[in-house]
Amino acid sequence: MSRTLELTRALVSRHSVTPHDAGCQALLAERLAKLGFTLEPMRFGEVDNLWARRGSGKPLLCFAGHTDVVPSGPVDEWHTPPFEPRERNGLLYGRGAADMKASLAAFVTAIEDFVATHPDHPGSISLLLTSDEEGVAVDGSVKVVDVLEARGEEIDYCIVGEPTSDAELGDTIKNGRRGSLSGHLFIHGIQGHIAYPHLAKNPVHLMAPALAELAATEWDRGNDFFPPTSWQVSNIHAGTGAVNIIPGLCEIRFNFRFCPESTVASLKERVHAILDKHGLGYELHWALSGMPFITAPGALTEALSEAIREQCGVAATLSTTGGTSDGRFIKRIARELVEFGPVNATIHKLNECVEIAHLEPLAAIYRKTLEKLLR
């Protein structure tokens, strides 16, 4: 059994449903300590975090990731128990196998191999680990970044181990992410008997024209790095459940995934303008969970792309699509930041899995990137 596979299996076997770490960080810290890393556990609330660093010089290359996983869903619908790693047909099954315990294992074995060959390497290596990425993400990486920023620690290069590959290992590097802005909208009407509509005011009917306009609005056209800003409704609720009552309230939740061509202020202003134009009585509560960020092609993207090409023979594409990650917090103190990891086809699904044949190549890519940037 390869070292990376063995460590991935050990991590998957830990029931680390967010925000619990279940001993994953201690397992990784034990191996890092043997390599001369200084270990700094940081616990905030129920969340375990770890900042580990080897060396004090520049440049600093940081590997970042999360030990927590999403819930398994119905256990009886899994082929095998979600927290008992099983191998079948060249795949390793288990919750978190791809998102992102394979990357964490590959980080560590890559560093072990690099340090064995380059014990006196220039610069520094660090790991930033959290158990609060899949949850509310308020006591995890963002809090660690606050601590590091307060004492003036900066990261030159950061690789977040999110599963970014699409069809084959190495085909996609995320060099940025869109921002995420959510709205919780309440449209007020007047409840009444459905047979006497003149005595009531249906908030669903009132909202429909505004909803159509919001859905049809072009918010921006994107740019060379980002697709256009997207507005999507995720939930609509109205009514009491009875079929003969006109509801008095309609509740809508929506989300913007926005690029830097739009600002938080401009998006809010345009939504309010549309709602006001239609004369709606409403309340709207906003929640910003992440700003867009971008790492322009440079030393990190070039080193990682070369490592992928050498190891896999694949030309990686730079992309900013997909959801948010802790990169949105870490970028505050990271000069260059990208996300790269295994194929993401099964993440958050029943029977999540990772290709066993990809584990050692993934570790080799991380090691080669270290060799190119710390020399």
Side-chain angles (χ1 to χ4, degrees):
M1 184 184 298
S2 78
R3 289 162 45 240
T4 308
L5 172 58
E6 183 179 21
L7 184 51
T8 303
R9 289 177 58 95
L11 291 169
V12 170
S13 69
R14 284 160 169 76
H15 199 283
S16 58
V17 175
T18 192
H20 303 294
D21 169 71
C24 292
Q25 291 174 28
L27 174 63
L28 299 174
E30 182 180 0
R31 295 177 72 142
L32 295 172
K34 295 176 182 178
L35 301 174
F37 277 78
T38 299
L39 306 176
E40 190 174 355
M42 300 185 194
R43 185 170 175 86
F44 302 104
E46 293 184 282
V47 175
D48 288 303
N49 304 286
L50 177 66
W51 174 250
R53 179 165 179 164
R54 185 182 199 271
S56 59
K58 301 283 278 182
L60 169 59
L61 192 157
C62 174
F63 293 102
H66 59 90
T67 54
D68 60 322
V69 299
V70 295
S72 64
V75 174
D76 58 355
E77 294 184 23
W78 281 68
H79 298 324
T80 57
F83 294 99
E84 295 180 16
R86 302 287 179 86
E87 298 174 36
R88 190 172 73 252
N89 299 325
L91 301 171
L92 175 67
Y93 287 86
R95 174 56 84 222
D99 188 15
M100 55 179 291
K101 292 182 174 180
S103 294
L104 300 180
F107 285 167
V108 171
T109 58
I111 294 168
E112 287 173 339
D113 289 344
F114 176 76
V115 170
T117 307
H118 308 282
D120 300 316
H121 63 82
S124 305
I125 307 170
S126 67
L127 274 85
L128 194 167
L129 304 177
T130 183
S131 66
D132 187 35
E133 197 274 346
E134 297 289 10
V136 294
V138 297
D139 286 325
S141 297
V142 63
K143 288 282 184 70
V144 178
V145 168
D146 288 342
V147 172
L148 299 177
E149 189 173 37
R151 65 194 191 197
E153 289 198 58
E154 296 180 343
I155 297 168
D156 295 286
Y157 310 116
C158 182
I159 300 175
V160 183
E162 291 292 343
T164 60
S165 298
D166 186 14
E168 58 181 328
L169 179 65
D171 61 8
T172 306
I173 298 169
K174 304 287 187 181
N175 67 320
R177 292 283 192 172
R178 296 171 293 175
S180 178
L181 175 66
S182 296
H184 192 182
L185 175 63
F186 299 88
I187 307 298
H188 297 286
I190 299 175
Q191 183 174 306
H193 196 293
I194 205 160
Y196 299 93
H198 58 290
L199 300 177
K201 187 184 290 186
N202 194 321
V204 178
H205 295 185
L206 295 173
M207 180 57 192
L211 189 63
E213 184 171 345
L214 288 164
T217 297
E218 179 183 80
W219 304 97
D220 56 53
R221 297 185 177 181
N223 58 31
D224 290 343
F225 294 109
F226 289 91
T229 292
S230 167
W231 182 85
Q232 293 290 321
V233 171
S234 59
N235 288 276
I236 298 179
H237 177 76
T240 65
V243 297
N244 60 351
I245 297 177
I246 292 172
L249 184 70
C250 179
E251 180 182 353
I252 298 175
R253 291 182 181 268
F254 63 81
N255 177 265
F256 281 106
R257 292 303 165 103
F258 66 100
C259 77
E261 297 300 307
S262 292
T263 66
V264 172
S266 70
L267 294 173
K268 289 182 177 181
E269 181 180 345
R270 293 178 70 186
V271 169
H272 281 285
I274 292 171
L275 298 175
D276 293 341
K277 184 178 93 172
H278 289 273
L280 300 173
Y282 68 91
E283 299 172 45
L284 178 50
H285 306 282
W286 294 97
L288 176 67
S289 59
M291 293 293 292
F293 67 88
I294 189 71
T295 292
L300 179 55
T301 58
E302 291 172 7
L304 182 55
S305 296
E306 287 178 7
I308 292 168
R309 185 166 52 251
E310 291 171 5
Q311 183 64 39
C312 303
V314 173
T317 298
L318 299 180
S319 171
T320 61
T321 59
T324 59
S325 77
D326 275 1
R328 68 192 190 273
F329 306 128
I330 303 168
K331 188 63 172 69
R332 267 173 34 208
I333 60 169
R335 183 162 53 89
E336 298 181 41
L337 180 147
V338 298
E339 301 170 22
F340 176 71
V343 173
N344 55 28
T346 63
I347 62 173
H348 290 213
K349 294 182 178 181
L350 299 173
N351 302 306
E352 179 181 351
C353 60
V354 66
E355 286 201 40
I356 295 171
H358 288 174
L359 296 178
E360 288 305 330
L362 179 62
I365 291 167
Y366 292 147
R367 175 181 55 77
K368 289 174 181 284
T369 304
L370 277 166
E371 290 170 347
K372 294 175 186 300
L373 293 172
L374 302 186
R375 51 183 167 184

PDB file of all heavy atoms in Angstrom, residues 13 42 45 86-87 108 110 144 158 176 178 180 190 197 217 220 226 291 311 321 324 333 356 364 370-371:
ATOM      1  N   SER A  13     -11.258   7.263   7.852  1.00  0.00           N
ATOM      2  CA  SER A  13     -11.858   6.457   8.912  1.00  0.00           C
ATOM      3  C   SER A  13     -12.265   7.287  10.125  1.00  0.00           C
ATOM      4  O   SER A  13     -12.982   6.791  11.002  1.00  0.00           O
ATOM      5  CB  SER A  13     -10.893   5.353   9.350  1.00  0.00           C
ATOM      6  OG  SER A  13      -9.773   5.902  10.020  1.00  0.00           O
ATOM      7  N   MET A  42      -4.879  25.965  17.199  1.00  0.00           N
ATOM      8  CA  MET A  42      -5.725  27.112  17.533  1.00  0.00           C
ATOM      9  C   MET A  42      -7.171  26.625  17.564  1.00  0.00           C
ATOM     10  O   MET A  42      -7.717  26.265  16.526  1.00  0.00           O
ATOM     11  CB  MET A  42      -5.587  28.226  16.494  1.00  0.00           C
ATOM     12  CG  MET A  42      -4.202  28.794  16.320  1.00  0.00           C
ATOM     13  SD  MET A  42      -4.207  30.191  15.168  1.00  0.00           S
ATOM     14  CE  MET A  42      -2.451  30.385  14.819  1.00  0.00           C
ATOM     15  N   GLY A  45     -14.134  28.155  19.656  1.00  0.00           N
ATOM     16  CA  GLY A  45     -15.429  27.503  19.796  1.00  0.00           C
ATOM     17  C   GLY A  45     -15.266  25.995  19.726  1.00  0.00           C
ATOM     18  O   GLY A  45     -14.452  25.405  20.445  1.00  0.00           O
ATOM     19  N   ARG A  86     -13.106   1.736   1.940  1.00  0.00           N
ATOM     20  CA  ARG A  86     -13.097   0.470   1.198  1.00  0.00           C
ATOM     21  C   ARG A  86     -12.554   0.703  -0.204  1.00  0.00           C
ATOM     22  O   ARG A  86     -12.849   1.722  -0.834  1.00  0.00           O
ATOM     23  CB  ARG A  86     -14.510  -0.104   1.106  1.00  0.00           C
ATOM     24  CG  ARG A  86     -15.186  -0.360   2.453  1.00  0.00           C
ATOM     25  CD  ARG A  86     -14.614  -1.565   3.187  1.00  0.00           C
ATOM     26  NE  ARG A  86     -15.278  -1.764   4.478  1.00  0.00           N
ATOM     27  CZ  ARG A  86     -16.400  -2.444   4.646  1.00  0.00           C
ATOM     28  NH1 ARG A  86     -17.006  -2.975   3.590  1.00  0.00           N
ATOM     29  NH2 ARG A  86     -16.929  -2.582   5.840  1.00  0.00           N
ATOM     30  N   GLU A  87     -11.804  -0.276  -0.716  1.00  0.00           N
ATOM     31  CA  GLU A  87     -11.251  -0.213  -2.070  1.00  0.00           C
ATOM     32  C   GLU A  87     -12.017  -1.176  -2.968  1.00  0.00           C
ATOM     33  O   GLU A  87     -12.236  -2.339  -2.612  1.00  0.00           O
ATOM     34  CB  GLU A  87      -9.774  -0.575  -2.041  1.00  0.00           C
ATOM     35  CG  GLU A  87      -8.927   0.376  -1.204  1.00  0.00           C
ATOM     36  CD  GLU A  87      -7.493  -0.098  -1.076  1.00  0.00           C
ATOM     37  OE1 GLU A  87      -6.963  -0.662  -2.065  1.00  0.00           O
ATOM     38  OE2 GLU A  87      -6.906   0.073   0.021  1.00  0.00           O
ATOM     39  N   VAL A 108       1.132  15.879   3.017  1.00  0.00           N
ATOM     40  CA  VAL A 108       2.093  15.411   4.018  1.00  0.00           C
ATOM     41  C   VAL A 108       3.148  14.501   3.393  1.00  0.00           C
ATOM     42  O   VAL A 108       4.344  14.647   3.662  1.00  0.00           O
ATOM     43  CB  VAL A 108       1.360  14.710   5.173  1.00  0.00           C
ATOM     44  CG1 VAL A 108       2.352  14.034   6.110  1.00  0.00           C
ATOM     45  CG2 VAL A 108       0.512  15.724   5.946  1.00  0.00           C
ATOM     46  N   ALA A 110       4.082  14.442   0.308  1.00  0.00           N
ATOM     47  CA  ALA A 110       4.906  15.272  -0.581  1.00  0.00           C
ATOM     48  C   ALA A 110       5.964  16.017   0.219  1.00  0.00           C
ATOM     49  O   ALA A 110       7.140  16.089  -0.181  1.00  0.00           O
ATOM     50  CB  ALA A 110       4.020  16.262  -1.332  1.00  0.00           C
ATOM     51  N   VAL A 144      -7.782  31.972  11.954  1.00  0.00           N
ATOM     52  CA  VAL A 144      -6.333  31.754  11.883  1.00  0.00           C
ATOM     53  C   VAL A 144      -5.676  32.886  11.112  1.00  0.00           C
ATOM     54  O   VAL A 144      -4.627  33.410  11.516  1.00  0.00           O
ATOM     55  CB  VAL A 144      -6.011  30.397  11.239  1.00  0.00           C
ATOM     56  CG1 VAL A 144      -4.503  30.202  11.123  1.00  0.00           C
ATOM     57  CG2 VAL A 144      -6.628  29.255  12.039  1.00  0.00           C
ATOM     58  N   CYS A 158       0.286  29.922  -1.823  1.00  0.00           N
ATOM     59  CA  CYS A 158      -0.633  29.050  -1.095  1.00  0.00           C
ATOM     60  C   CYS A 158      -1.351  28.131  -2.069  1.00  0.00           C
ATOM     61  O   CYS A 158      -1.873  28.588  -3.099  1.00  0.00           O
ATOM     62  CB  CYS A 158      -1.663  29.880  -0.326  1.00  0.00           C
ATOM     63  SG  CYS A 158      -2.818  28.871   0.644  1.00  0.00           S
ATOM     64  N   GLY A 176      -8.850  31.594  -8.848  1.00  0.00           N
ATOM     65  CA  GLY A 176      -9.700  32.627  -8.277  1.00  0.00           C
ATOM     66  C   GLY A 176     -11.087  32.054  -8.042  1.00  0.00           C
ATOM     67  O   GLY A 176     -11.403  30.941  -8.474  1.00  0.00           O
ATOM     68  N   ARG A 178     -15.425  33.411  -7.504  1.00  0.00           N
ATOM     69  CA  ARG A 178     -16.400  34.489  -7.464  1.00  0.00           C
ATOM     70  C   ARG A 178     -16.799  34.790  -6.023  1.00  0.00           C
ATOM     71  O   ARG A 178     -16.651  33.969  -5.136  1.00  0.00           O
ATOM     72  CB  ARG A 178     -17.641  34.089  -8.262  1.00  0.00           C
ATOM     73  CG  ARG A 178     -17.373  33.895  -9.740  1.00  0.00           C
ATOM     74  CD  ARG A 178     -18.564  33.305 -10.452  1.00  0.00           C
ATOM     75  NE  ARG A 178     -18.828  31.941 -10.012  1.00  0.00           N
ATOM     76  CZ  ARG A 178     -19.875  31.230 -10.403  1.00  0.00           C
ATOM     77  NH1 ARG A 178     -20.766  31.747 -11.213  1.00  0.00           N
ATOM     78  NH2 ARG A 178     -20.040  29.992  -9.958  1.00  0.00           N
ATOM     79  N   SER A 180     -19.722  35.664  -3.085  1.00  0.00           N
ATOM     80  CA  SER A 180     -21.038  35.115  -2.788  1.00  0.00           C
ATOM     81  C   SER A 180     -21.805  36.086  -1.903  1.00  0.00           C
ATOM     82  O   SER A 180     -21.362  36.411  -0.796  1.00  0.00           O
ATOM     83  CB  SER A 180     -20.907  33.755  -2.088  1.00  0.00           C
ATOM     84  OG  SER A 180     -22.174  33.233  -1.764  1.00  0.00           O
ATOM     85  N   ILE A 190     -51.624  40.541   2.170  1.00  0.00           N
ATOM     86  CA  ILE A 190     -52.713  40.444   3.142  1.00  0.00           C
ATOM     87  C   ILE A 190     -53.360  39.080   2.998  1.00  0.00           C
ATOM     88  O   ILE A 190     -53.825  38.709   1.911  1.00  0.00           O
ATOM     89  CB  ILE A 190     -53.767  41.553   2.926  1.00  0.00           C
ATOM     90  CG1 ILE A 190     -53.122  42.938   3.111  1.00  0.00           C
ATOM     91  CG2 ILE A 190     -54.937  41.374   3.895  1.00  0.00           C
ATOM     92  CD1 ILE A 190     -54.069  44.078   2.795  1.00  0.00           C
ATOM     93  N   PRO A 197     -60.702  37.244  -3.272  1.00  0.00           N
ATOM     94  CA  PRO A 197     -59.389  37.841  -3.510  1.00  0.00           C
ATOM     95  C   PRO A 197     -59.389  39.366  -3.381  1.00  0.00           C
ATOM     96  O   PRO A 197     -58.335  39.964  -3.124  1.00  0.00           O
ATOM     97  CB  PRO A 197     -59.051  37.398  -4.941  1.00  0.00           C
ATOM     98  CG  PRO A 197     -60.365  37.086  -5.566  1.00  0.00           C
ATOM     99  CD  PRO A 197     -61.211  36.538  -4.471  1.00  0.00           C
ATOM    100  N   THR A 217     -32.261  40.039 -15.648  1.00  0.00           N
ATOM    101  CA  THR A 217     -31.295  41.138 -15.599  1.00  0.00           C
ATOM    102  C   THR A 217     -29.882  40.667 -15.925  1.00  0.00           C
ATOM    103  O   THR A 217     -29.438  39.617 -15.435  1.00  0.00           O
ATOM    104  CB  THR A 217     -31.312  41.806 -14.217  1.00  0.00           C
ATOM    105  OG1 THR A 217     -32.598  42.382 -13.993  1.00  0.00           O
ATOM    106  CG2 THR A 217     -30.253  42.888 -14.113  1.00  0.00           C
ATOM    107  N   ASP A 220     -23.632  41.994 -15.204  1.00  0.00           N
ATOM    108  CA  ASP A 220     -22.386  42.437 -15.831  1.00  0.00           C
ATOM    109  C   ASP A 220     -22.026  41.402 -16.889  1.00  0.00           C
ATOM    110  O   ASP A 220     -22.756  40.419 -17.073  1.00  0.00           O
ATOM    111  CB  ASP A 220     -21.244  42.616 -14.808  1.00  0.00           C
ATOM    112  CG  ASP A 220     -20.965  41.354 -14.000  1.00  0.00           C
ATOM    113  OD1 ASP A 220     -20.759  40.280 -14.604  1.00  0.00           O
ATOM    114  OD2 ASP A 220     -20.954  41.438 -12.752  1.00  0.00           O
ATOM    115  N   PHE A 226     -13.277  35.948 -15.189  1.00  0.00           N
ATOM    116  CA  PHE A 226     -14.518  35.531 -14.539  1.00  0.00           C
ATOM    117  C   PHE A 226     -15.694  35.502 -15.510  1.00  0.00           C
ATOM    118  O   PHE A 226     -15.810  36.386 -16.368  1.00  0.00           O
ATOM    119  CB  PHE A 226     -14.879  36.504 -13.408  1.00  0.00           C
ATOM    120  CG  PHE A 226     -13.980  36.429 -12.209  1.00  0.00           C
ATOM    121  CD1 PHE A 226     -12.852  37.234 -12.124  1.00  0.00           C
ATOM    122  CD2 PHE A 226     -14.264  35.571 -11.164  1.00  0.00           C
ATOM    123  CE1 PHE A 226     -12.029  37.180 -11.016  1.00  0.00           C
ATOM    124  CE2 PHE A 226     -13.446  35.503 -10.054  1.00  0.00           C
ATOM    125  CZ  PHE A 226     -12.322  36.309  -9.973  1.00  0.00           C
ATOM    126  N   MET A 291     -15.775  37.594  -0.823  1.00  0.00           N
ATOM    127  CA  MET A 291     -15.487  38.504  -1.930  1.00  0.00           C
ATOM    128  C   MET A 291     -14.739  37.751  -3.028  1.00  0.00           C
ATOM    129  O   MET A 291     -14.029  36.784  -2.757  1.00  0.00           O
ATOM    130  CB  MET A 291     -14.640  39.674  -1.441  1.00  0.00           C
ATOM    131  CG  MET A 291     -15.366  40.604  -0.479  1.00  0.00           C
ATOM    132  SD  MET A 291     -16.721  41.497  -1.280  1.00  0.00           S
ATOM    133  CE  MET A 291     -15.803  42.579  -2.388  1.00  0.00           C
ATOM    134  N   GLN A 311       4.231  15.395 -14.517  1.00  0.00           N
ATOM    135  CA  GLN A 311       3.745  14.191 -13.852  1.00  0.00           C
ATOM    136  C   GLN A 311       2.651  13.484 -14.631  1.00  0.00           C
ATOM    137  O   GLN A 311       2.628  12.253 -14.724  1.00  0.00           O
ATOM    138  CB  GLN A 311       3.232  14.544 -12.453  1.00  0.00           C
ATOM    139  CG  GLN A 311       2.756  13.352 -11.645  1.00  0.00           C
ATOM    140  CD  GLN A 311       3.877  12.368 -11.348  1.00  0.00           C
ATOM    141  OE1 GLN A 311       5.014  12.778 -11.063  1.00  0.00           O
ATOM    142  NE2 GLN A 311       3.582  11.080 -11.412  1.00  0.00           N
ATOM    143  N   THR A 321     -14.433  29.144 -11.854  1.00  0.00           N
ATOM    144  CA  THR A 321     -15.800  28.661 -11.672  1.00  0.00           C
ATOM    145  C   THR A 321     -15.938  27.895 -10.358  1.00  0.00           C
ATOM    146  O   THR A 321     -14.962  27.590  -9.684  1.00  0.00           O
ATOM    147  CB  THR A 321     -16.204  27.736 -12.830  1.00  0.00           C
ATOM    148  OG1 THR A 321     -15.295  26.624 -12.874  1.00  0.00           O
ATOM    149  CG2 THR A 321     -16.162  28.473 -14.153  1.00  0.00           C
ATOM    150  N   THR A 324     -17.454  28.622  -3.297  1.00  0.00           N
ATOM    151  CA  THR A 324     -16.457  29.312  -2.499  1.00  0.00           C
ATOM    152  C   THR A 324     -15.571  28.296  -1.771  1.00  0.00           C
ATOM    153  O   THR A 324     -15.905  27.124  -1.659  1.00  0.00           O
ATOM    154  CB  THR A 324     -17.126  30.225  -1.460  1.00  0.00           C
ATOM    155  OG1 THR A 324     -17.975  29.432  -0.617  1.00  0.00           O
ATOM    156  CG2 THR A 324     -17.951  31.297  -2.140  1.00  0.00           C
ATOM    157  N   ILE A 333      -3.775  37.386   3.120  1.00  0.00           N
ATOM    158  CA  ILE A 333      -2.365  37.428   3.506  1.00  0.00           C
ATOM    159  C   ILE A 333      -1.492  36.633   2.546  1.00  0.00           C
ATOM    160  O   ILE A 333      -0.303  36.438   2.812  1.00  0.00           O
ATOM    161  CB  ILE A 333      -2.166  36.906   4.945  1.00  0.00           C
ATOM    162  CG1 ILE A 333      -2.652  35.462   5.091  1.00  0.00           C
ATOM    163  CG2 ILE A 333      -2.865  37.814   5.958  1.00  0.00           C
ATOM    164  CD1 ILE A 333      -2.249  34.811   6.409  1.00  0.00           C
ATOM    165  N   ILE A 356      -7.555   5.552  -6.741  1.00  0.00           N
ATOM    166  CA  ILE A 356      -6.337   5.188  -6.017  1.00  0.00           C
ATOM    167  C   ILE A 356      -5.098   5.503  -6.856  1.00  0.00           C
ATOM    168  O   ILE A 356      -4.078   5.960  -6.332  1.00  0.00           O
ATOM    169  CB  ILE A 356      -6.384   3.704  -5.626  1.00  0.00           C
ATOM    170  CG1 ILE A 356      -7.520   3.470  -4.626  1.00  0.00           C
ATOM    171  CG2 ILE A 356      -5.045   3.244  -5.047  1.00  0.00           C
ATOM    172  CD1 ILE A 356      -7.803   2.011  -4.324  1.00  0.00           C
ATOM    173  N   ALA A 364       3.097  13.664  -5.900  1.00  0.00           N
ATOM    174  CA  ALA A 364       4.272  14.019  -6.712  1.00  0.00           C
ATOM    175  C   ALA A 364       4.136  15.428  -7.281  1.00  0.00           C
ATOM    176  O   ALA A 364       5.128  16.171  -7.375  1.00  0.00           O
ATOM    177  CB  ALA A 364       4.458  13.002  -7.833  1.00  0.00           C
ATOM    178  N   LEU A 370       6.882  22.198  -4.818  1.00  0.00           N
ATOM    179  CA  LEU A 370       7.819  22.631  -3.771  1.00  0.00           C
ATOM    180  C   LEU A 370       9.220  22.791  -4.335  1.00  0.00           C
ATOM    181  O   LEU A 370       9.913  23.792  -4.064  1.00  0.00           O
ATOM    182  CB  LEU A 370       7.841  21.594  -2.647  1.00  0.00           C
ATOM    183  CG  LEU A 370       6.755  21.673  -1.576  1.00  0.00           C
ATOM    184  CD1 LEU A 370       6.731  20.376  -0.760  1.00  0.00           C
ATOM    185  CD2 LEU A 370       6.986  22.864  -0.661  1.00  0.00           C
ATOM    186  N   GLU A 371       9.656  21.822  -5.132  1.00  0.00           N
ATOM    187  CA  GLU A 371      11.010  21.853  -5.678  1.00  0.00           C
ATOM    188  C   GLU A 371      11.217  23.054  -6.604  1.00  0.00           C
ATOM    189  O   GLU A 371      12.311  23.624  -6.670  1.00  0.00           O
ATOM    190  CB  GLU A 371      11.304  20.557  -6.417  1.00  0.00           C
ATOM    191  CG  GLU A 371      11.431  19.361  -5.481  1.00  0.00           C
ATOM    192  CD  GLU A 371      11.490  18.032  -6.199  1.00  0.00           C
ATOM    193  OE1 GLU A 371      11.181  18.004  -7.419  1.00  0.00           O
ATOM    194  OE2 GLU A 371      11.815  17.024  -5.559  1.00  0.00           O
TER     195      GLU A 371
END
